[in-house]
């Protein structure tokens, strides 16, 4: 995609009187724009105006990083994000059926598992987990993300989760938005610096355990003991290499057990916190009622149906790893998703294009995990914020050559 700016400062050619035009045509090449008109009388086409055109290099791909441990909702988040841009996300056509890549009109999502340098056997032999940087090729990750950001296609490796092997590479063309999701998008400083926006899904141990059991026991037939053992085995590397990345994230979605039910250990009702860094270019944190204030809000009553234990929102400024942040919190779950519009109308800076867009998105994907609580709500809002950030970035880049000539 080239961004072209037309300089219209030329005055019209004085020898050329403009006949009453019936049609105006616009022709252009890389250097010039020509306006044509046709005269009503003669129907002859004549060039009446020519102007300079400047085309900048290919518009750079916007790069978004999404970090989380395995089974923490990255795929669900990606489905919500791509839906905000419209169109379905699908694996590359005619490619490896076990590809981890998802392509839609606007976005390409690549999974950083594809940069494992050791396959399943290699990790076993060397006694390392996939979370250990030694099992991943950060040089290649950096080179390829940079190349895509600069508009160059790459042959990206594929880690096959079915066989546990490294498969032949697949072609990745530069999209408008590249999302790199996985264990380490913010681990390597070089890769981190390429990110235009970053998100960390911070799922507390209790909740992670409940979700793992739900998926791996119910859907994949694993035993409770094997799930416990796998979480325990990953924990030291998770703490050392994955968790610290949240300090770099522009937005963190933290998922905790509810505080509305004393000593709850079911993990079904969740307290979800959206932690938004202040001062990030193109990203204005969402607020409730009054920006910068500290607010607790129980919306249950006439406009929102709430069964036990109810719903509580909180909002306010805070500090997170030494950074100034705004935090929006939701504890509890919605009984009726269509009533979410009541909550939406009290939130500001949510980057919607029309009234009720958050509610519409949530209703559209009511079957996705987390749709009745803050995980779905905040993932949807972050998706809208990313769309907004992308549109601002593109608009700024398109304006840049014009600004340069004006200066
Ligand atoms: N918001 C949520 N609320 C309840 N359960 C959830 C939520 N998000 C995810 N889960 C549970 O976690 C499982 C994994 O979710 P998802 O596939 O989105 O995670 P992932 O991070 O992409 O996993 P992986 O990296 O292992 O592929 C889901 O099948 C579901 O059981
Ligand atoms: O942490 C993970 C990220 O998804 C996986 O465990 C890692 O990619 C290894 O995959 P597999 O267990 O299929 O060999």
């Amino acid at each position: 995609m080239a961004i072209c700016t037309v300089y219209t400062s030329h005055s019209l050619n004085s020898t050329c009187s403009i006949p009453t035009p019936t049609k105006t045509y616009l022709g252009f090449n890389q250097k010039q724009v020509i306006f044509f008109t046709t005269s009503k009388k003669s129907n002859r086409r004549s060039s009446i105006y020519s102007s300079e055109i400047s085309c900048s290099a290919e518009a750079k791909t916007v790069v978004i990083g999404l970090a989380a441990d395995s089974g923490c909702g990255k795929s669900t988040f990606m489905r919500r994000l791509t839906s905000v841009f419209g169109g379905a996300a699908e694996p590359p056509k005619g490619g490896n059926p076990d590809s981890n890549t998802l392509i839609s009109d606007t976005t390409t999502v690549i999974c950083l598992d594809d940069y494992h340098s050791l396959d399943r056997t290699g990790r076993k032999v060397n006694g390392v987990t996939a979370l250990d940087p030694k099992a991943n090729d950060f040089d290649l990750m950096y080179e390829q993300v940079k190349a895509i950001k600069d508009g160059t296609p790459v042959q990206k490796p594929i880690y096959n989760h079915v066989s546990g092997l490294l498969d032949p590479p697949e072609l990745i063309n530069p999209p408008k938005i590249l999302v790199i999701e996985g264990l380490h998008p913010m681990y390597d400083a070089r890769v981190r610096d390429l990110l235009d926006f970053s998100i960390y899904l911070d799922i507390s141990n209790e909740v992670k355990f409940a979700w793992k059991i739900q998926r791996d026991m119910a859907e994949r037939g694993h035993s409770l003991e094997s799930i416990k053992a796998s979480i325990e085995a990953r924990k030291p590397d998770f703490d050392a290499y994955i968790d610290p990345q949240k300090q770099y994230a522009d937005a963190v979605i933290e998922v905790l057990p509810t505080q509305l039910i004393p000593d709850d250990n079911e993990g079904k009702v969740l307290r979800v916190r959206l932690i938004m860094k202040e001062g990030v270019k193109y990203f204005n944190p969402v607020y409730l009622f009054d920006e910068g204030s500290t607010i607790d809000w129980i919306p249950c009553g006439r406009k929102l149906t709430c069964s036990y234990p109810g719903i509580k929102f909180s909002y306010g400024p805070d500090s997170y790893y030494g950074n100034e942040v705004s935090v929006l919190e939701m504890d509890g779950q919605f009984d009726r998703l269509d009533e979410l519009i009541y909550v939406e109308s009290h939130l500001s800076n949510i980057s919607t294009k029309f009234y009720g867009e958050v509610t519409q998105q949530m209703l559209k994907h009511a079957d996705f995990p987390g749709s009745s609580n803050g995980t779905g709500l905040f993932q949807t809002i972050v998706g809208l914020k990313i769309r907004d950030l992308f549109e601002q970035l593109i608009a700024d880049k398109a304006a840049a050559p014009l600004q340069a000539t004006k200066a």
Side-chain angles (χ1 to χ4, degrees):
M1 175 180 47
I3 296 181
C4 300
T5 306
V6 180
Y7 299 100
T8 51
S9 54
H10 291 230
S11 57
L12 285 172
N13 183 341
S14 58
T15 59
C16 175
S17 62
I18 308 173
T20 317
T22 49
K23 276 181 190 159
T24 305
Y25 301 90
L26 180 67
F28 67 93
N29 56 33
Q30 289 293 92
K31 291 199 178 117
Q32 218 177 20
V33 169
I34 305 162
F35 292 89
F36 299 103
T37 63
T38 51
S39 145
K40 249 185 189 165
K41 269 188 188 167
S42 63
N43 206 27
R44 265 183 41 213
R45 241 169 79 142
S46 54
S47 149
I48 58 158
Y49 179 63
S50 137
S51 162
E52 299 266 311
I53 183 170
S54 147
C55 291
S56 68
E58 292 288 302
K60 279 189 174 181
T61 292
V62 172
V63 185
I64 309 291
L66 173 67
D69 197 3
S70 157
C72 287
K74 296 183 298 293
S75 313
T76 310
F77 186 11
M78 283 304 104
R79 288 196 289 162
R80 289 192 197 276
L81 175 69
T82 42
S83 160
V84 162
F85 287 95
E90 283 166 3
K93 284 200 173 67
N96 186 331
D98 295 326
S99 165
N100 302 307
T101 302
L102 284 173
I103 300 175
S104 72
D105 288 347
T106 317
T107 60
T108 292
V109 181
I110 62 171
C111 174
L112 296 180
D113 294 350
D114 289 333
Y115 293 98
H116 289 336
S117 50
L118 296 174
D119 62 11
R120 204 174 281 158
T121 312
R123 290 195 299 271
K124 211 170 178 184
V125 169
N126 288 278
V128 292
T129 71
L131 301 94
D132 191 321
K134 288 201 276 295
N136 295 278
D137 188 343
F138 288 102
D139 290 342
L140 186 64
M141 189 191 295
Y142 165 66
E143 276 163 27
Q144 297 206 331
V145 175
K146 184 171 187 321
I148 296 172
K149 185 161 182 157
D150 289 342
T152 311
V154 301
Q155 288 288 343
K156 180 189 61 55
I158 298 175
Y159 176 71
N160 188 322
H161 280 281
V162 179
S163 65
L165 299 170
L166 293 159
D167 282 354
E170 65 185 354
L171 178 70
I172 303 290
N173 285 309
K176 289 178 183 155
I177 301 177
L178 174 74
V179 184
I180 57 169
E181 62 95 353
L183 298 169
H184 305 99
M186 284 99 89
Y187 179 81
D188 183 286
R190 297 166 302 170
V191 179
R192 197 162 68 227
D193 286 347
L194 294 172
L195 301 176
D196 293 293
F197 193 74
S198 54
I199 308 125
Y200 185 92
L201 301 182
D202 188 9
I203 315 299
S204 65
N205 288 332
E206 301 93 319
V207 177
K208 201 189 282 186
F209 188 55
W211 288 2
K212 272 260 176 205
I213 289 177
Q214 185 187 317
R215 183 181 72 173
D216 294 354
M217 247 174 106
E219 296 167 23
R220 299 187 179 175
H222 297 189
S223 70
L224 187 62
E225 286 66 37
S226 72
I227 297 168
K228 270 188 193 161
S230 136
I231 291 182
E232 283 310 311
R234 291 169 71 97
K235 191 149 186 338
D237 283 353
F238 174 79
D239 291 344
Y241 310 118
I242 312 304
D243 194 60
Q245 293 175 85
K246 62 190 180 196
Q247 67 188 291
Y248 305 116
D250 298 315
V252 175
I253 298 180
E254 198 174 79
V255 185
L256 303 150
T258 181
Q259 286 183 337
L260 300 174
I261 306 171
D263 302 320
D264 175 69
N265 51 15
E266 266 196 72
K268 282 199 178 133
V269 182
L270 301 174
R271 178 164 76 103
V272 187
R273 287 158 53 84
L274 174 57
I275 302 165
M276 300 161 279
K277 215 179 245 178
E278 295 287 346
V280 176
K281 203 172 179 197
Y282 308 118
F283 175 67
N284 293 319
V286 179
Y287 66 89
L288 178 65
F289 294 116
D290 181 30
E291 194 166 16
S293 297
T294 299
I295 289 160
D296 277 346
W297 182 44
I298 296 176
C300 306
R302 291 190 188 168
K303 307 257 176 69
L304 198 74
T305 315
C306 298
S307 53
Y308 179 80
I311 298 177
K312 182 179 170 190
F313 277 86
S314 309
Y315 162 75
D318 207 341
S319 163
Y320 187 78
Y321 288 95
N323 293 307
E324 215 182 297
V325 295
S326 282
V327 182
L328 178 66
E329 177 178 313
M330 176 185 163
D331 196 347
Q333 53 195 29
F334 301 110
D335 279 11
R336 293 189 45 174
L337 259 193
D338 53 337
E339 291 176 349
L340 174 62
I341 188 75
Y342 177 63
V343 171
E344 180 178 351
S345 61
H346 288 83
L347 294 170
S348 300
N349 272 353
I350 45 177
S351 300
T352 46
K353 286 200 192 281
F354 54 87
Y355 179 73
E357 190 176 12
V358 171
T359 307
Q360 190 204 58
Q361 280 292 329
M362 290 282 284
L363 284 167
K364 193 168 158 191
H365 302 300
D367 56 328
F368 285 9
S371 288
S372 62
N373 61 40
T375 58
L377 175 63
F378 294 159
Q379 286 178 4
T380 302
I381 291 176
V382 172
L384 295 169
K385 300 298 293 180
I386 290 173
R387 181 183 67 187
D388 188 28
L389 176 129
F390 165 72
E391 289 175 356
Q392 290 184 60
L393 246 159
I394 290 298
D396 258 18
K397 278 180 187 159
L402 191 58
Q403 294 301 328
T405 43
K406 276 186 186 162

